[in-house]
Amino acid sequence: MARDWSDLFITGEAARDESEPAAAAERRRGVFRRLRENLSKTRQALRGELQATLWGTFDEHTWERLEEALIMADVGASTTASVVARLEAEAAEGDLAGGEELSGRLIELLAETARVGDGRIDVRPSPTVIMAVGVNGTGKTTTIGKLAQVFRAQGKTVLLCAADTFSAAAIEQLEIWGQRTGTEVIKTKAGGDPSAVLFDALQSATARKTDYVIVDTAGRLHTKQNLMLELEKMRRTAQRIVPGAPHETLLVMDATTGQNGLQQARQFTQSSGVTGIVLAKLDGTAKGGVVVAISRELGLPVRYVGVGEKAGDLLPFDAKEFVESLFA
Ligand code: GDP
Ligand code: MG
């Protein structure tokens, strides 16, 4: 089902404003339009290869070209192999009459693969705690700023927690997002204890009944093991102050790194309780197909995609809409 921002967050009160179906539909169309625009590079890459494939009768060549096109779009070797094998079998059974049916079925299969779980963030009694984790430079801090903007636009109260204390610059960057979105930032000095600043943030959020706390974390420490231990400690701290926290742990991935990013992502999913993916930097890459590989290989829902550096450049993810945008 296609959706827009208004049904991304489930709350006790009805999140969807039914009195404004026209406005909601218009917003959804806007999201779809922007997604299509931002996927143009991937679409071009796929299209060149596919056009030749989708006409005429199917033969060995068809499947080879299709495989090549999908791999070029970074759908990933194993996902590509399984999807193409399935199409080949269906064609052999006589279930696919021509190019149009083939492409329709391809979209269906890819969308099925990219659809994991429910794409929505389950909103709990205040505060809902969202942690952003991931490799340095993938887009965590930027995504947090954009998310703050989304929540503020919904009239929610938000507190940002600068628990990436690795450098002064990291803290300043979050503060800039705080100013931009009218959101308070709880921080400590560079080199400070991330769990201590998280503790402070959650205590004040609880006292003030803040709707959301979004926690920035470091993407690197002196060793990878240190980083994972630190994230683990932060999770325990969060849990002690707010039962069930963090309610959502978003792994932020960089779309331009394609399959390499998947390798790095696994380390986080193994040790830091990731519940969803944000794929940043989808603008300007021809590797948009990586969404399909991520869903399949990590088994986690993609929640949002980042399509630029500005506050409004975060879009809710819908598997079908996304895959359709790759082709048409
Ligand atoms: P972090 O180290 O994970 O916190 O990553 P940052 O949020 O600092 O982002 C690293 C760089 O990527 C910055 O220059 C951001 O402006 C840029 N960036 C983040 N998200 C996007 C996006 O969706 N599109 C583009 N084009 N750039 C992005
Ligand atoms: Mg950062």
Side-chain angles (χ1 to χ4, degrees):
M1 251 262 288
R3 51 169 219 254
D4 67 281
W5 278 120
S6 60
D7 54 1
L8 242 192
F9 306 96
I10 321 169
T11 57
E13 334 108 52
R16 192 192 256 286
D17 186 355
E18 296 295 350
S19 66
E20 275 195 323
E26 181 48 42
R27 264 200 309 278
R28 205 187 67 71
R29 274 195 296 276
V31 166
F32 191 56
R33 208 162 33 237
R34 293 202 51 207
L35 186 63
R36 279 198 79 251
E37 279 163 23
N38 282 296
L39 286 173
S40 65
K41 284 204 178 154
T42 307
R43 191 166 52 247
Q44 274 159 23
L46 272 172
R47 225 195 247 156
E49 275 300 311
L50 283 183
Q51 243 152 21
T53 307
L54 298 180
W55 302 113
T57 49
F58 307 144
D59 56 18
E60 200 106 315
H61 240 70
T62 312
W63 311 119
E64 267 169 31
R65 291 193 78 143
L66 189 54
E67 267 178 8
E68 258 167 50
L70 294 176
I71 285 180
M72 290 226 309
D74 237 339
V75 167
S78 68
T79 310
T80 296
S82 86
V83 167
V84 174
R86 185 120 168 234
L87 289 171
E88 201 173 343
E90 290 179 13
E93 293 281 317
D95 293 341
L96 301 174
E100 215 157 293
E101 280 188 34
L102 174 64
S103 68
R105 188 67 186 126
L106 174 62
I107 290 173
E108 255 174 40
L109 287 176
L110 290 175
E112 233 169 66
T113 311
R115 190 181 303 117
V116 176
D118 188 339
R120 297 181 293 186
I121 290 184
D122 191 3
V123 176
R124 308 303 167 96
S126 306
T128 296
V129 181
I130 301 175
M131 247 169 102
V133 302
V135 176
N136 198 41
T138 50
K140 288 181 296 298
T141 307
T142 308
T143 296
I144 287 169
K146 294 172 185 174
L147 260 185
Q149 172 86 358
V150 169
F151 294 140
R152 297 289 293 134
Q154 292 176 340
K156 303 292 183 189
T157 51
V158 183
L159 209 59
L160 299 180
C161 174
D164 176 0
T165 64
F166 195 78
S167 71
I171 299 167
E172 274 163 31
Q173 191 191 352
L174 194 68
E175 284 190 292
I176 292 170
W177 276 107
Q179 285 159 13
R180 220 175 260 165
T181 57
T183 311
E184 193 183 334
V185 178
I186 304 287
K187 59 171 182 172
T188 179
K189 59 184 185 314
D193 179 3
S195 293
V197 69
L198 178 60
F199 184 92
D200 289 348
L202 294 183
Q203 278 215 320
S204 50
T206 305
R208 298 185 216 171
K209 300 192 168 35
T210 306
D211 296 314
Y212 291 95
V213 179
I214 319 179
V215 187
D216 197 10
T217 67
R220 69 176 154 186
L221 282 183
H222 308 291
T223 68
K224 213 162 275 158
Q225 203 199 358
N226 273 353
L227 174 59
M228 297 307 159
L229 288 174
E230 188 65 65
L231 291 173
E232 193 45 47
K233 186 175 155 199
M234 288 171 71
R235 296 178 66 80
R236 285 198 305 272
T237 301
Q239 192 112 51
R240 265 207 308 279
I241 306 163
V242 180
H247 306 99
E248 180 81 12
T249 300
L250 294 173
L251 175 68
V252 180
M253 295 176 68
D254 177 342
T256 64
T257 61
Q259 296 294 313
N260 289 339
L262 255 175
Q263 206 52 37
Q264 300 174 324
R266 276 196 198 92
Q267 295 176 323
F268 283 90
T269 54
Q270 277 158 16
S271 55
S272 48
V274 176
T275 50
I277 306 288
V278 176
L279 191 62
K281 309 190 198 178
L282 255 187
D283 49 312
T285 176
K287 298 178 176 178
V290 75
V291 165
V292 181
I294 287 171
S295 310
R296 181 171 191 261
E297 290 181 33
L298 300 180
L300 288 163
V302 176
R303 306 275 201 213
Y304 318 96
V305 295
V307 294
E309 299 182 90
K310 292 202 284 296
D313 292 336
L314 189 71
L315 303 177
F317 178 77
D318 175 274
K320 183 136 186 291
E321 233 169 51
F322 186 93
V323 174
E324 277 171 357
S325 306
L326 288 180
F327 291 93

